Amino acid sequence: MITIIAAIAENNALGKDNQLIWHLPADLKRFKQVTLNHHIIMGRKTFESLGKPLPNRTTIIITRNKNYSAKGCIVVNSLKKAIEASKNDENPYILGGAEIYKQAMEIADKLDLTFVHHKFEADAFFPVIDTKIWKETSREDFKADEKNKYNFSFVTFERK
């Protein structure tokens, strides 16, 4: 099982200037719970926006730069090689960015998404979810509160 995990806005916005646009503590908490003890696959820019490997996860970075290295991480030069490097994990997670998500939509089994119910100005966008390929299998809706500024939903899609 290969899972794409992302938080996206109503206009499919992911981020701007290599950063998240919003701060939702509930989403970050869920992300940590879901990905803990798994391989997490991401592009170099996404990794650099995090600044370091996330604890208790195996970080795999995809980059075209053959000389790139990051302490405590596995570095590969294609999504295919990243999947191969995570073969001992029954459910690796793909964390982005936009180009990696686009490639991963072809091979993923599941989408684990947080929909942020707001539109944002962005320069990185999640691919359109084709409902001929993907079926929504679960949804939890949440209202904004003192910690989470926007309404949001945790939504799972599985490949038909």
Side-chain angles (χ1 to χ4, degrees):
M1 168 93 56
I2 298 169
T3 302
I4 291 174
I5 189 165
I8 61 176
E10 288 176 357
N11 58 337
N12 280 20
L14 287 167
K16 184 171 175 147
D17 299 325
N18 207 33
Q19 297 295 319
L20 290 176
I21 306 168
W22 54 81
H23 180 72
L24 288 175
D27 176 52
L28 297 173
K29 181 179 178 184
R30 183 171 181 279
F31 170 84
K32 181 179 179 181
Q33 289 172 337
V34 167
T35 62
L36 212 55
N37 301 314
H38 286 283
H39 287 68
I40 52 175
I41 299 168
M42 66 195 83
R44 176 192 53 81
K45 288 191 256 180
T46 299
F47 173 73
E48 289 177 353
S49 75
L50 297 174
K52 64 183 191 291
L54 298 177
N56 302 310
R57 285 157 271 210
T58 302
T59 301
I60 302 173
I61 304 166
I62 303 169
T63 179
R64 291 181 192 98
N65 180 346
K66 301 220 185 290
N67 298 317
Y68 189 84
S69 67
K71 187 176 180 182
C73 300
I74 298 167
V75 179
V76 297
N77 61 11
S78 71
L79 179 58
K80 182 179 179 183
K81 288 185 178 171
I83 298 301
E84 288 170 10
S86 66
K87 68 179 183 278
N88 292 331
D89 185 346
E90 76 284 351
N91 191 9
Y93 286 84
I94 297 173
L95 273 58
E99 182 58 35
I100 302 298
Y101 284 139
K102 185 178 171 186
Q103 294 174 32
M105 290 293 275
E106 304 292 319
I107 62 164
D109 304 295
K110 185 171 153 186
L111 308 176
D112 191 340
L113 304 176
T114 300
F115 285 118
V116 182
H117 301 295
H118 191 82
K119 290 183 180 171
F120 296 89
E121 185 180 322
D123 59 14
F125 297 89
F126 194 81
V128 174
I129 299 167
D130 184 343
T131 54
K132 292 183 192 99
I133 297 170
W134 298 99
K135 177 185 176 189
E136 183 177 318
T137 58
S138 72
R139 175 182 289 264
E140 291 178 87
D141 298 315
F142 299 90
K143 295 285 183 196
D145 59 27
E146 63 281 349
K147 290 183 180 176
N148 299 280
K149 185 176 175 181
Y150 305 100
N151 294 338
F152 62 97
S153 301
F154 297 141
V155 183
T156 302
F157 290 86
E158 293 181 22
R159 188 175 291 279
K160 289 183 178 179

